[in-house]
């Protein structure tokens, strides 16, 4: 299948590790040029240099996507290079775990800034250009928590659910111009943040990494019997970014190894 990525320019936000890094690797592997965004300069530059040494077109921009200033820095950086963005992958996300009634204003604001507002702000800045060129893809990285919120992650789940609603509304508005918006919903995925949590649990409880991974997944045990890899989630993201997915818009696609119980 030809994914039609050659000549496309993608922006991947949250690109230096985990799912974002896997998406970036897969996009450049398909021939797209990528602007890779993260906050930690050294790690991001190391990642892009590694890709460039393999012949890829990967340019780093250091920015905090959760703030208006960070978004402006990113958009200015793209404009300074004269980049016309075809594909936007909004991958930044996460939140602290806490019982639902213990979440205060600060935790709610942080979860909404990280998981929703960052994506909304950047999408609003980049989609008009896609509309004028009559081709674009926006893929948001959500979570299965958007559909099945856990009691320790209410703000995270609510923000991811809002992201799904936002993507649907955006899709209704811009799909007729060839600009498609979709959400991928990962379940437990073997990324550095997930693995760090499992290592902590293993050390605290004196159990194996495998048992700790099962505990971190909690009640969300995938039908596959294992967590997904970042590359498996990236495959779905890249397909939705492709020309081959041109009739798919406004969906939220679980990539969770069969974790969600609903049909
Ligand atoms: N891993 C899972 O099990 C899982 C499950 C469901 C959903 N998800 C979702 O998948 C997405 C990626 O998760 P992940 O586990 O791959 O994350 P991760 O391993 O923690 O990697 C996060 C990436 O995003 C960058 N980043 C974080 N905050 C940023 C910010 N404010 N501005 C710019 N870049 C930022 C990080 O680099 P810097 O720190 O240098 O900025 C890093 O490159 C998130 O939206 C998460 O909610 C993950």
């Amino acid at each position: 299948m030809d994914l039609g990525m050659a000549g496309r320019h993608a922006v991947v936000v949250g690109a230096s590790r985990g799912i974002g890094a896997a998406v970036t690797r897969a996009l450049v592997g398909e021939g797209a040029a990528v602007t890779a965004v993260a906050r930690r300069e050294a790690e991001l530059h190391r990642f892009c240099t590694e890709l460039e040494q393999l012949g890829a077109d990967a340019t780093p921009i250091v920015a905090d996507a959760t703030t208006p200033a960070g978004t402006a820095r990113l958009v200015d950086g793209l404009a300074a290079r004269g980049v016309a963005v075809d594909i936007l992958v909004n991958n930044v996300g996460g939140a602290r775990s806490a019982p639902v009634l213990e979440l205060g204003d600060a935790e709610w604001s942080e979860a909404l800034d990280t998981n929703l507002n960052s994506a909304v702000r950047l999408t609003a800045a980049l989609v008009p250009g896609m509309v004028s060129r009559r081709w674009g893809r926006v893929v948001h990285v959500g979570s299965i928590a958007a559909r099945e919120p856990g009691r320790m992650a209410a703000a995270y789940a609510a923000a991811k659910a809002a992201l799904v609603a936002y993507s649907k509304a955006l899709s209704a508005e811009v799909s007729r111009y060839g600009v498609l918006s979709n959400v991928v919903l990962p379940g437990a995925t073997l990324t550095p943040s997930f693995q760090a949590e499992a290592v902590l649990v293993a050390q605290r409880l004196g159990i194996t990494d495998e048992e700790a991974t099962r505990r971190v997944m909690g009640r969300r045990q995938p039908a596959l019997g294992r967590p997904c890899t970042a590359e498996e989630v990236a495959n779905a993201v890249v397909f939705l970014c492709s020309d081959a997915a041109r009739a798919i818009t406004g969906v939220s696609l679980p990539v969770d190894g069969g974790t969600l119980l609903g049909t």
Side-chain angles (χ1 to χ4, degrees):
M1 187 188 310
D2 180 10
L3 297 182
M5 287 294 177
R8 300 285 182 206
H9 194 108
V11 173
V12 180
V13 191
S16 59
R17 292 192 301 281
I19 293 169
V23 168
T24 303
R25 280 199 191 90
L27 284 170
V28 297
E30 288 295 327
V34 175
T35 295
V37 184
R39 294 164 302 178
R40 277 175 255 197
E41 186 166 5
E43 185 183 23
L44 179 65
H45 280 249
R46 209 169 33 244
F47 176 62
C48 288
T49 303
E50 183 194 305
L51 293 176
E52 277 169 341
Q53 282 166 353
L54 298 170
D57 185 346
T59 307
I61 292 188
V62 176
D64 180 347
T66 61
T67 66
T71 306
R73 183 187 165 97
L74 170 53
V75 172
D76 290 349
L78 291 164
R81 284 167 39 228
V83 170
V85 177
D86 303 300
I87 295 165
L88 170 62
V89 179
N90 287 316
N91 170 64
V92 169
R96 280 175 270 168
S97 295
V100 57
L101 295 178
E102 289 175 21
L103 290 169
D105 282 356
E107 286 83 10
W108 276 96
S109 292
E110 190 183 347
L112 289 166
D113 278 342
T114 304
N115 296 285
L116 177 68
N117 297 339
S118 61
V120 170
R121 219 176 269 125
L122 192 53
T123 302
L126 298 183
V127 161
M130 298 179 194
V131 168
S132 68
R133 291 184 294 277
R134 295 294 192 264
W135 198 96
R137 299 285 185 269
V138 185
V139 177
H140 311 277
V141 180
S143 165
I144 56 169
R147 294 207 192 157
E148 288 182 3
R151 61 191 178 86
M152 294 294 286
Y156 174 71
K160 293 293 198 188
L163 187 63
V164 171
Y166 171 73
S167 173
K168 187 76 179 172
L170 178 69
S171 152
E173 180 73 13
V174 298
S175 293
R176 83 196 83 150
Y177 305 115
V179 181
L180 314 180
S181 177
N182 292 293
V183 189
V184 165
L185 306 175
T189 308
L190 290 171
T191 63
S193 56
F194 180 91
Q195 284 163 311
E197 204 181 331
V199 167
L200 277 181
V201 170
Q203 284 166 353
R204 205 174 56 230
L205 303 178
I207 56 179
T208 64
D209 285 357
E210 203 180 321
E211 177 55 24
T213 298
R214 255 197 300 279
R215 299 235 183 157
V216 172
M217 289 193 290
R219 66 185 174 85
R220 298 208 163 97
Q221 300 293 327
L224 276 184
R226 62 163 179 85
C228 294
T229 65
E231 289 69 27
E232 287 166 339
V233 176
N235 288 342
V237 173
V238 171
F239 175 68
L240 290 172
C241 290
S242 75
D243 206 44
R246 60 189 168 272
I248 304 174
T249 188
V251 307
S252 52
L253 173 69
V255 184
D256 65 345
T259 304
L260 286 174
L261 296 174
T263 51

